[in-house]
Amino acid sequence: MKQVANFSFLTKLTFILSLVITGFSQKSFAQEVITIQQAVDKTLTNNLQVKQANFSESLSDINLKQSKYALLPTLGANLSQDMRWGRNNQGASGVYENTQNYSVNGGASSNVDLFSGLTKMNQIKQNKVLLEASKTNTSKIKNDLILSVITSYLQILYNKDFLKAANDQLTVAKQQLNQQQQLLDVGNKTLADLSQAKSQVATAELNATNAENALSISYLTLAQLMDIPSSTVYDVQAPVIDNINTPNGKYNAEEIYTNASAMFPDIKLASLNTEAAKIAVKIAKGNLLPTLSFNASYGTGYFYNYNFNPQYPNPSFSNQLSNNISKGIGMSLSIPIFNGLQIKSNYRRAKINLMQTETEEQLAKNNLNKVIYQAVADLKAAEGRYASTTNAFTAQKDAYYVIEQRYNVGLVNSLDYSTALTNKNKAEIDMIQAKYDLIFRAKVIDYYLGKQIVF
């Protein structure tokens, strides 16, 4: 009885421990389900490109502040001390004596530009524009990353459905192989039928393997965009399929372009670069003009001779500082006449750079116009393709069901059955591709309209 009781206790303990271990294991390997918005947020928070853009913003802000400080007068102070010794001629007597002298001199000076061709004021204006351009560049990088996240996210969803379809096809192929083997054993099928069934299983296994590899790569791609460890195990939230059929009638390419050109970072960045180039031309032109500046100085000094002469004692430190004060003010005019044509060359380069940025701005507008018109056309085509592939898959699935029933009773040969299965599988894959292509095209339109990307 004691052994039975011990056995019962050990059984219960083992059972409890197994539950604990199982629960811990399930908790440890639980996958985080990431929504499209969470994927975007993680990317914008962790991505190093965004961090680099933020650093550029900080540098542009410092440049702006420095250009403002450049308007202030300069102020500098100097202090020097000097000690000399050796034989020196002591006045008109012609007698040389060993002497030791000590002196201290100090002063301050200030300078302010009264006119410099407005280069400093224009530099401030340019740095303001460049700061705004840096911020816009950050927005552009974020926008590009968001589009990449959408593409990678939808690629995962597509590969998941593709893998499911491939596994379903593999299951059907294995079932058919088992059935063919049984029919061969009773003499109702030939070796050719069995070989055909084995070929279908091999093909289905290859498709499933390729689909699994593609899914793994797509998970890795999104993880790298989010800048999380590549070993992170996570899943993505699938969209509601019923909501993907967005009518295209409300999308007008010209209206979308008008709205996008007013807020799209690529266009705004190109416009700011053009504005900065215009100011750069003014700065270069200002350097051709004379510069007028005002300066002021204040200084004093102290001198001490170690060879004490009762007739000419060294004045006190404070008296010397008071008596040796010197003050000065002045103005200076600098006129550029010839410096190897460097200033004129800079002016010409600035004008050429302006023409380049104006061309780049127009190219950005043209590219956005083309992309949006193409996106609207692609959305319309994707809607039509999804409807067609859905109908085709429904038809092929019904046809396969009929062929399968007839094949099971020996009314259809293996070749016809294999053809029907292949047609169904291809129609299903085409429908999956069309479905996610439609989702992607609709989200691209939302992207250009500045809408939040959600499913």
Side-chain angles (χ1 to χ4, degrees):
M1 293 295 294
K2 185 176 181 180
Q3 290 179 347
V4 173
N6 289 337
F7 177 79
S8 177
F9 172 76
L10 290 174
T11 302
K12 292 180 180 179
L13 180 60
T14 303
F15 177 73
I16 293 172
L17 288 175
S18 65
L19 290 177
V20 173
I21 293 173
T22 302
F24 177 76
S25 177
Q26 291 176 346
K27 184 177 180 180
S28 299
F29 293 94
Q31 292 184 352
E32 178 187 5
V33 179
I34 298 178
T35 65
I36 183 67
Q37 187 58 47
Q38 289 173 333
V40 169
D41 292 341
K42 287 178 180 289
T43 299
L44 298 183
T45 301
N46 300 335
N47 194 274
L48 295 180
Q49 287 180 288
V50 177
K51 293 181 179 180
Q52 286 180 327
N54 290 331
F55 293 147
S56 296
E57 282 187 38
S58 299
L59 292 174
S60 297
D61 184 56
I62 293 174
N63 291 337
L64 174 58
K65 292 178 180 178
Q66 183 58 52
S67 61
K68 291 180 178 179
Y69 296 150
L71 293 175
L72 301 176
T74 61
L75 178 63
N78 62 83
L79 179 66
S80 64
Q81 63 177 353
D82 186 32
M83 179 179 288
R84 298 183 180 183
W85 60 90
R87 293 176 60 79
N88 292 281
N89 187 351
Q90 297 299 308
S93 65
V95 178
Y96 283 82
E97 298 179 359
N98 288 325
T99 61
Q100 293 184 12
N101 301 318
Y102 175 76
S103 63
V104 176
N105 295 284
S109 61
S110 179
N111 186 81
V112 58
D113 286 338
L114 301 178
F115 179 79
S116 58
L118 299 178
T119 56
K120 291 186 178 181
M121 296 299 298
N122 285 326
Q123 189 66 63
I124 294 175
K125 294 179 181 179
Q126 186 186 46
N127 286 338
K128 286 182 180 179
V129 175
L130 292 176
L131 175 58
E132 188 64 25
S134 295
K135 294 179 179 179
T136 304
N137 183 60
T138 302
S139 299
K140 178 183 181 303
I141 291 174
K142 290 180 178 179
N143 265 22
D144 294 342
L145 286 172
I146 289 172
L147 191 58
S148 297
V149 169
I150 296 170
T151 304
S152 300
Y153 193 94
L154 291 177
Q155 189 65 44
I156 292 176
L157 294 175
Y158 164 71
N159 288 334
K160 287 178 66 176
D161 279 3
F162 184 71
L163 177 59
K164 181 179 180 299
N167 286 330
D168 291 343
Q169 294 164 15
L170 178 59
T171 300
V172 172
K174 288 182 177 179
Q175 291 174 350
Q176 292 300 324
L177 175 59
N178 183 54
Q179 185 184 47
Q180 293 300 306
Q181 184 64 56
Q182 293 176 359
L183 292 174
L184 177 64
D185 293 341
V186 298
N188 291 335
K189 292 292 182 179
T190 65
L191 287 175
D193 294 324
L194 183 63
S195 298
Q196 183 66 32
K198 289 181 178 180
S199 175
Q200 291 175 356
V201 171
T203 301
E205 287 177 342
L206 178 60
N207 291 337
T209 300
N210 291 336
E212 188 172 358
N213 291 336
L215 179 59
S216 299
I217 292 174
S218 58
Y219 272 117
L220 179 61
T221 300
L222 182 58
Q224 291 174 342
L225 279 173
M226 295 187 293
D227 203 10
I228 61 177
S230 301
S231 59
T232 302
V233 179
Y234 67 96
D235 202 358
V236 296
Q237 186 181 72
V240 179
I241 304 302
D242 295 337
N243 295 335
I244 68 172
N245 292 312
T246 306
N248 60 25
K250 67 177 183 179
Y251 290 129
N252 180 281
E254 192 60 33
E255 291 180 0
I256 295 174
Y257 170 72
T258 301
N259 293 332
S261 60
M263 62 181 180
F264 205 60
D266 298 63
I267 304 302
K268 186 177 180 181
L269 178 60
S271 176
L272 290 171
N273 287 336
T274 298
E275 186 177 352
K278 290 179 180 178
I279 300 175
V281 172
K282 294 181 179 179
I283 294 174
K285 188 175 182 180
N287 289 328
L288 295 171
L289 301 176
T291 300
L292 179 64
S293 61
F294 172 81
N295 60 80
S297 62
Y298 180 95
T300 186
Y302 169 77
F303 178 83
Y304 182 82
N305 188 339
Y306 282 94
N307 290 349
F308 178 71
N309 189 333
Q311 295 180 351
Y312 305 100
N314 290 306
S316 66
F317 183 78
S318 59
N319 286 340
Q320 286 200 42
L321 291 182
S322 299
N323 295 332
N324 294 337
I325 290 176
S326 63
K327 306 173 184 178
I329 59 173
M331 298 182 69
S332 62
L333 180 67
S334 176
I335 303 175
I337 297 176
F338 181 78
N339 63 346
L341 298 179
Q342 182 177 352
I343 297 179
K344 289 186 177 180
S345 296
N346 291 338
Y347 178 59
R348 294 191 189 102
R349 277 193 289 265
K351 292 200 295 184
I352 294 173
N353 184 62
L354 173 58
M355 290 186 286
Q356 286 181 329
T357 55
E358 289 175 337
T359 303
E360 290 170 359
E361 181 181 359
Q362 189 59 49
L363 283 174
K365 292 178 179 179
N366 293 346
N367 290 336
L368 180 62
N369 185 274
K370 292 178 183 178
V371 167
I372 288 178
Y373 269 84
Q374 186 65 50
V376 172
D378 289 342
L379 177 60
K380 294 178 180 179
E383 288 178 331
R385 183 167 178 263
Y386 178 64
S388 300
T389 54
T390 301
N391 294 334
F393 173 64
T394 301
Q396 291 294 341
K397 184 170 61 174
D398 293 341
Y400 169 75
Y401 176 76
V402 174
I403 295 294
E404 184 182 34
Q405 299 300 317
R406 300 183 66 186
Y407 178 73
N408 290 336
V409 296
L411 297 178
V412 173
N413 59 38
S414 60
L415 179 60
D416 291 337
Y417 171 80
S418 176
T419 301
L421 178 61
T422 301
N423 291 338
K424 181 186 79 73
N425 294 342
K426 183 178 184 302
E428 183 177 14
I429 292 173
D430 289 342
M431 185 190 68
I432 294 172
Q433 289 177 329
K435 176 182 70 175
Y436 285 105
D437 183 57
L438 175 57
I439 295 174
F440 176 72
R441 300 302 174 186
K443 297 308 175 186
V444 166
I445 298 296
D446 290 342
Y447 167 75
Y448 287 117
L449 289 174
K451 296 180 179 179
Q452 185 178 17
I453 306 299
V454 294
F455 289 138

